Amino acid sequence: MLIDLVLPAVLDTRTGGLTLRRASARDLDALMTLLSDDPISSSRGDTADVGDRDAYQAALEQILADAANELLVVVDGSDVPIATMQLTRIPGMARRGSTRLLVEAVRVSSALRSAGIGGAMMRWVTDTAAPTLGSTLVQLTSDAARTDAHRFYERLGFIGSHVGFKYPVG
Amino acid sequence: MLIDLVLPAVLDTRTGGLTLRRASARDLDALMTLLSDDPISSSRGDTADVGDRDAYQAALEQILADAANELLVVVDGSDVPIATMQLTRIPGMARRGSTRLLVEAVRVSSALRSAGIGGAMMRWVTDTAAPTLGSTLVQLTSDAARTDAHRFYERLGFIGSHVGFKYPVG
């Protein structure tokens, strides 16, 4: 948990009525569903398979116990998670000792895309979370196939200046 | 400090005699010099300016105190740092609850490039550090202008599947 973040927060979207809050152990199934609700994620194995529940649960417990990480969900008026993202605060030496804020695993329910939810989440990251955490750089990587997402991040002021490399271990 | 890592370690390079160890507060000036010894870094403000020393020192203290981060240096037989990199262990939900190992700020002294040092560092990350830390994915981003570095990572088995986005705050 990134204890300095002030949460829950009202999310500034067109539709209104959405809240950004910390994820909890109770959100496990909703998080599995959100991750599987995306063709690229599901092609990597995130299919909300009940056989993977223990692995997701162990991961969720680790994230919730980690002082450098925050797992967030956006919930509607019935507290049902409709979007998620993870933040990691990373102190560093480069760029004159800049602390970075890494954003991972941003997912919005497919039924609710293009409603401004993702934009409101990222605006909260850049305008509220990053300053609160003393981060002067927000960074993320996006699969090269997600061309719509790239336009979305560019509209928000992100610069696609880097190539993201991955190495699968073992 | 990532306490599970077994360090110092002998680095497997052609020349031999190199050791990978944890950075300490005494390495501050050497780290500032390594960061400035690179045209892209220096263009971003890492010029080893004495006026920035306090900011680097504060960052170094934060990294050394952080349970999810490890700052490493490669030293020669006289314990002089000739290369550095930072590792961050990040638990996550995506990819069936995969823990990632993020590599940042990899720098090798310009006088010693193409001597196999960077390759030996990355091999240690993928083959030793990642399994020790339970990470099934190693990831990093590299400035799009670093085309030589991209070939280097691809030769090591990294896949440049993502676009890395950055947002400067404030």
Side-chain angles (χ1 to χ4, degrees):
Chain A
M1 188 190 293
L2 291 164
I3 56 169
D4 290 337
L5 294 177
V6 179
L7 289 164
V10 173
L11 204 62
D12 183 20
T13 63
R14 278 166 250 159
T15 49
L18 299 182
T19 301
L20 185 71
R21 67 161 170 82
R22 293 187 161 96
S24 78
R26 289 177 290 108
D27 297 315
L28 176 60
D29 291 311
L31 289 163
M32 287 175 65
T33 300
L34 278 171
L35 284 174
S36 70
D37 184 18
D38 172 85
I40 291 179
S41 291
S42 59
S43 75
R44 292 183 193 132
D46 289 316
T47 57
D49 188 310
V50 67
D52 296 328
R53 198 168 188 276
D54 288 354
Y56 285 112
Q57 183 166 6
L60 180 55
E61 287 168 4
Q62 272 200 60
I63 302 168
L64 297 179
D66 193 309
N69 282 273
E70 187 70 68
L71 188 63
L72 296 155
V73 288
V74 176
V75 295
D76 62 16
S78 306
D79 201 42
V80 173
I82 57 169
T84 180
M85 65 180 164
Q86 182 176 343
L87 303 182
T88 309
R89 184 184 186 276
I90 306 174
M93 292 292 284
R95 302 179 190 231
R96 293 192 286 185
S98 288
T99 294
R100 296 165 196 242
L101 190 57
L102 176 70
V103 188
E104 286 275 3
V106 181
R107 299 287 184 280
V108 177
S109 171
S110 59
L112 294 162
R113 285 194 199 137
S114 309
I117 298 168
M121 292 164 71
M122 297 310 299
R123 274 281 157 255
W124 179 85
V125 171
T126 57
D127 298 357
T128 301
T132 300
L133 297 168
S135 296
T136 52
L137 193 69
V138 176
Q139 65 183 48
L140 58 89
T141 70
S142 178
D143 194 292
R146 296 192 197 270
T147 50
D148 286 354
H150 300 176
R151 280 191 292 271
F152 162 77
Y153 288 120
E154 284 161 0
R155 278 198 304 272
L156 289 166
F158 282 79
I159 300 159
S161 53
H162 284 59
V163 180
F165 289 90
K166 312 268 179 189
Y167 181 97
V169 177
Chain B
M1 188 189 295
L2 291 165
I3 55 168
D4 290 337
L5 294 177
V6 179
L7 291 163
V10 173
L11 205 62
D12 183 21
T13 64
R14 278 166 249 159
T15 49
L18 298 182
T19 301
L20 185 71
R21 67 161 170 81
R22 292 187 162 96
S24 78
R26 289 176 292 106
D27 297 315
L28 176 61
D29 292 311
L31 288 164
M32 287 174 65
T33 301
L34 278 171
L35 283 175
S36 69
D37 183 19
D38 171 84
I40 290 178
S41 291
S42 60
S43 75
R44 290 185 196 131
D46 289 316
T47 57
D49 188 310
V50 68
D52 295 328
R53 197 169 188 277
D54 288 353
Y56 286 113
Q57 183 165 7
L60 180 54
E61 287 168 4
Q62 272 200 60
I63 302 168
L64 297 179
D66 193 309
N69 281 273
E70 186 71 66
L71 188 63
L72 295 154
V73 288
V74 177
V75 295
D76 62 15
S78 307
D79 201 42
V80 173
I82 57 169
T84 180
M85 65 179 164
Q86 181 176 343
L87 302 183
T88 309
R89 183 183 186 278
I90 306 174
M93 291 292 284
R95 301 178 191 234
R96 292 192 287 185
S98 288
T99 294
R100 297 165 194 241
L101 190 59
L102 176 70
V103 188
E104 285 276 1
V106 181
R107 299 288 185 277
V108 177
S109 171
S110 59
L112 294 163
R113 284 192 201 140
S114 308
I117 298 168
M121 292 164 70
M122 296 310 299
R123 274 280 159 256
W124 180 84
V125 171
T126 56
D127 298 357
T128 300
T132 301
L133 297 168
S135 295
T136 52
L137 193 70
V138 176
Q139 66 183 48
L140 59 88
T141 70
S142 178
D143 193 292
R146 297 192 196 272
T147 50
D148 287 354
H150 300 176
R151 281 190 292 272
F152 162 78
Y153 288 119
E154 284 161 0
R155 278 197 305 272
L156 290 167
F158 282 79
I159 300 159
S161 53
H162 284 58
V163 179
F165 289 89
K166 313 268 179 189
Y167 180 97
V169 178

